[in-house]
Amino acid sequence: MKVLHKDELLIAEEVLLKHLPKSLKVYGSLYSINRNKPNTLEVVVDTWPDFKVIICRPDPKNKHSLELIKKVSYYSLDEQVLRKMLTEENVIDWSSYFHMAAFDISHASLVKEVSSNRQVNNRGFIMVHLLYLPDCSHLITPIFDSELESRISSLDLSHVDLVNKTWKFGGNEKEHSRITNFISNYPSCCITDGQGQPVSWIMMYDYCAMGMLYTLPEHRGKGYAKVLVSIMSKKLHAQGYPVYCFIEEENTVSYRLFKNLGFTEDPSYRAAWFEFNF
């Protein structure tokens, strides 16, 4: 096992670029790290430079990582190497509560087996589609008038409470801190009302996926989500970010929205979030 540092992280990012879309979660994390965004991650591989497994885990030397829910993500080209890393090497701290985020669902039986052998309980709590936009030429842009265009803006720190209150995983101090980070350091887009307050918005997570798309109930049915996804996608593409999102399997409305705008997916691939030591 090897911990990657600055120049190695840049090389690893280039390698993961060749394995999109399945590598997007880890690629997005490295893309963020390599652009000097705030992060609490440490990146490890099985071997270097010809790695088969790359894992993002909480950095034990970063005091801020202790303030957040521990999250681990990985990309694997070899299931046997992955098994070895999870079982024989001290690559994950199995002793406390953590999430394994957006991993390939085909590895679920392996992950369950390893955690059970360690007498660590586990359960899947989110299953998702991975939708992505390879190029903006695939984007189907909705038509909107100049009045709506004049109300398109970005979120700022005065909006953190509103986003935290309305997000299904929010409403607490840890997520308040994460949302503050997202708004401060990553692109966002919103539509405001006549008083300049956001009524619909979309953001970016620290692994560069679009998310937290939300419209206040009294403003739904006006096509705001389509406009925001379209504008955000163009913005991200222009700035060099990957353009992708995870959509929960039961969220058929968002799935249709992104598909109708030109996003695509690998039909053989699903991702999952698992939690351990709950």
Side-chain angles (χ1 to χ4, degrees):
M1 183 180 73
K2 174 179 171 55
V3 177
L4 299 188
H5 299 291
K6 184 72 175 176
D7 292 341
E8 295 160 337
L9 288 167
L10 289 167
I11 295 170
E13 179 190 320
E14 290 300 313
V15 173
L16 291 172
L17 184 61
K18 301 172 184 176
H19 296 280
L20 302 183
K22 293 182 180 181
S23 64
L24 268 167
K25 174 67 167 64
V26 176
Y27 172 80
S29 296
L30 266 63
Y31 189 96
S32 178
I33 293 169
N34 289 332
R35 272 80 187 162
N36 299 313
K37 303 292 187 183
N39 77 90
T40 58
L41 296 176
E42 181 175 67
V43 182
V44 299
V45 293
D46 57 309
T47 58
W48 185 258
D50 298 319
F51 62 87
K52 294 290 188 285
V53 175
I54 182 167
I55 297 175
C56 298
R57 65 184 185 183
D59 184 353
K61 301 182 296 297
N62 189 315
K63 65 178 182 179
H64 295 297
S65 68
L66 302 175
E67 302 167 1
L68 303 171
I69 295 174
K70 293 181 180 179
K71 294 183 180 179
V72 174
S73 58
Y74 71 82
Y75 176 67
S76 173
L77 290 164
D78 188 312
E79 189 166 322
Q80 292 308 309
V81 176
L82 176 63
R83 176 185 294 274
K84 183 175 185 294
M85 289 193 77
L86 295 180
T87 56
E88 298 179 18
E89 302 193 41
N90 191 28
V91 70
I92 294 177
D93 175 12
W94 294 90
S95 65
S96 59
Y97 179 80
F98 74 95
H99 290 177
M100 191 170 284
F103 71 94
D104 188 334
I105 194 63
S106 69
H107 297 153
S109 59
L110 167 61
V111 169
K112 290 178 180 179
E113 178 190 335
V114 172
S115 63
S116 296
N117 289 342
R118 291 176 174 269
Q119 297 184 316
V120 173
N121 61 358
N122 67 84
R123 65 185 174 195
F125 67 100
I126 305 176
M127 307 297 166
V128 296
H129 297 274
L130 168 56
L131 293 176
Y132 64 102
L133 194 69
D135 188 276
C136 266
S137 64
H138 295 85
L139 185 66
I140 300 169
T141 306
I143 298 172
F144 51 93
D145 60 27
S146 57
E147 189 278 330
L148 178 56
E149 186 175 9
S150 70
R151 295 191 284 117
I152 295 171
S153 185
S154 298
L155 296 170
D156 62 44
L157 292 180
S158 70
H159 306 137
V160 173
D161 287 344
L162 174 63
V163 175
N164 189 38
K165 179 176 66 176
T166 53
W167 188 31
K168 66 180 292 186
F169 298 113
N172 59 71
E173 283 303 312
K174 285 188 176 181
E175 298 308 334
H176 189 280
S177 176
R178 290 184 70 213
I179 293 166
T180 299
N181 174 36
F182 300 157
I183 291 178
S184 298
N185 296 291
Y186 297 90
S188 65
C189 191
C190 68
I191 294 173
T192 61
D193 61 15
Q195 288 71 49
Q197 293 303 305
V199 297
S200 185
W201 56 85
I202 189 169
M203 297 171 57
M204 175 182 271
Y205 295 106
D206 50 5
Y207 46 91
C208 296
M210 289 191 288
M212 299 194 204
L213 176 62
Y214 187 83
T215 301
L216 296 177
E218 61 270 28
H219 292 274
R220 292 175 185 168
K222 301 177 181 179
Y224 288 171
K226 288 191 294 186
V227 171
L228 289 175
V229 172
S230 173
I231 292 173
M232 186 74 157
S233 298
K234 291 178 181 178
K235 179 189 292 190
L236 298 183
H237 187 265
Q239 295 180 17
Y241 286 99
V243 183
Y244 77 105
C245 64
F246 292 107
I247 297 179
E248 294 175 48
E249 286 193 334
E250 63 270 23
N251 190 350
T252 55
V253 173
S254 288
Y255 180 79
R256 288 196 302 269
L257 168 69
F258 279 84
K259 290 284 283 187
N260 289 340
L261 287 172
F263 281 69
T264 189
E265 67 176 327
D266 179 344
S268 69
Y269 182 80
R270 288 288 186 279
W273 264 257
F274 271 37
E275 59 183 344
F276 301 84
N277 285 312
F278 51 88

